[in-house]
Amino acid sequence: RRGTRSSDGDGDASTDTITPPPDDHEATPEDLMSAAERENRAGVESELLDRLRALDPTAFERLVLNVLTGMGYGGKSGAVEHTGKIGDGGIDGLIRQDPLGLDRIYMQAKRYSAENSVGRPAIQAFVGALHGQQADRGVFLTTSTYSREAVEYTRFLRERIVLIDGRELARLMVD
């Protein structure tokens, strides 16, 4: 950390102050615009995440399917199907990437509060649901975060599971 330390001369550290380093250059208009854009984007993403957490579960599941479609999944001739309901077997949505449905991606969405992270048991249940569909890939989205154990578990699976947490979901939606 660059900067200078000054004191009152008696060596008492409690009265020391740190002066910030001088600016290496003046901020350009582009720098100011970039900083404002980052700040604005962070605010929009935060507000969006709050609104996602307030949605009812079915609306949230449908919304994330729309986000995935907006990202190009489902293709020109594929299809997206919302399957979430009571007793859905752990699958909230299905994306058929091709007209024959040979290339399928399964989706699970959990609308959790910020303090309630998704743990390994929820991921294991999703993997079990994929096995029940004879599937090998899926996307698990949440408005919260994933526990370290959940993330580690997905690293060694034969199935390809993509985990999207709340911050990433909000970023994808803004994009």
Side-chain angles (χ1 to χ4, degrees):
R1 177 174 177 170
R2 291 183 7 205
T4 58
R5 186 176 293 275
S6 64
S7 78
D8 58 9
D10 66 3
D12 183 6
S14 65
T15 60
D16 286 356
T17 57
I18 296 179
T19 2
D23 287 339
D24 291 336
H25 69 310
E26 296 274 330
T28 66
E30 291 82 11
D31 293 338
L32 295 173
M33 287 177 57
S34 290
E37 182 181 355
R38 283 190 305 273
E39 184 178 328
N40 185 43
R41 182 180 179 104
V44 168
E45 289 173 0
S46 177
E47 184 177 334
L48 181 57
L49 196 49
D50 289 341
R51 289 181 182 209
L52 291 173
R53 288 183 180 125
L55 288 174
D56 73 78
T58 300
F60 176 65
E61 292 165 1
R62 290 182 186 278
L63 180 75
V64 295
L65 281 169
N66 287 336
V67 170
L68 294 170
T69 302
M71 292 172 59
Y73 291 96
K76 289 179 10 181
S77 55
V80 176
E81 179 184 347
H82 177 250
T83 60
K85 58 186 174 289
I86 296 175
D88 62 17
I91 304 291
D92 293 327
L94 169 62
I95 301 170
R96 291 179 185 88
Q97 290 287 86
D98 62 89
L100 298 177
L102 296 173
D103 190 11
R104 299 171 304 202
I105 300 170
Y106 291 84
M107 187 272 303
Q108 175 66 267
K110 294 288 185 194
R111 187 188 49 86
Y112 284 174
S113 67
E115 309 81 43
N116 188 11
S117 70
V118 176
R120 180 178 171 155
I123 304 300
Q124 287 175 307
F126 182 53
V127 170
L130 291 177
H131 284 189
Q133 299 294 322
Q134 298 178 342
D136 64 351
R137 67 185 77 169
V139 180
F140 198 115
L141 302 104
T142 184
T143 53
S144 65
T145 59
Y146 294 96
S147 71
R148 183 179 49 79
E149 294 82 10
V151 172
E152 286 296 318
Y153 175 69
T154 61
R155 289 186 184 174
F156 301 105
L157 291 173
R158 179 178 50 91
E159 298 79 13
R160 293 183 57 208
I161 307 291
V162 174
L163 302 178
I164 299 176
D165 66 12
R167 289 182 142 201
E168 179 71 6
L169 177 58
R171 185 190 66 76
L172 290 170
M173 290 180 75
V174 170
D175 285 348

